[in-house]
């Protein structure tokens, strides 16, 4: 497990802009998984758990908080896959 992510693009801004995280969570056998990933259903669409990073919150802490809050699953992030910067555009 990593201790924290120190990627400047993932630090929340002070201008009111929202910086978000999205988690890819492989389902382990203890959760009945066999190569699947955790998704949630919203209005008939499947999506990865994700949400906004709060002020003075790191990307790592945001991932743990968002996944737990949206799915009830406590995760231990192992790696940062990539960072996407898209000012004022949602990541789909």
């Amino acid at each position: 497990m990593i201790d924290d992510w120190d990627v400047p693009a993932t630090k929340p801004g002070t201008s009111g802009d929202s910086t978000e995280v999205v988690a890819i969570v492989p389902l382990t056998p203890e959760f009945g998984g066999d190569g699947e990933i955790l998704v949630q259903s919203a209005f008939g669409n499947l999506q990865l758990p994700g949400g906004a990073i709060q002020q003075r919150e790191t990307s790592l802490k945001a991932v743990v908080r968002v996944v737990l809050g949206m799915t009830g699953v406590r995760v231990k992030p192992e790696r940062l896959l990539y960072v996407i910067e898209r000012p004022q555009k949602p990541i789909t």
Side-chain angles (χ1 to χ4, degrees):
M1 181 172 142
I2 56 177
D3 292 327
D4 213 340
W5 298 329
D6 187 20
V7 179
T10 66
K11 302 283 181 177
T14 56
S15 64
D17 292 339
S18 174
T19 303
E20 297 188 2
V21 293
V22 176
I24 299 173
V25 182
L27 292 175
T28 60
E30 68 186 279
F31 289 109
D34 185 26
E36 299 90 358
I37 59 172
L38 179 66
V39 295
Q40 60 188 82
S41 177
F43 306 107
N45 297 315
L46 297 179
Q47 62 186 31
L48 296 169
I53 300 174
Q54 297 175 350
Q55 283 287 17
R56 293 185 282 283
E57 180 177 50
T58 64
S59 301
L60 175 66
K61 290 176 183 171
V63 165
V64 173
R65 176 185 54 78
V66 166
V67 173
L68 179 61
M70 295 182 94
T71 67
V73 176
R74 187 174 306 276
V75 296
K76 295 179 184 175
E78 294 180 358
R79 62 188 162 156
L80 173 66
L81 295 179
Y82 57 89
V83 174
I84 299 175
E85 291 187 70
R86 294 183 64 188
Q88 310 213 355
K89 294 182 182 178
I91 297 175
T92 56

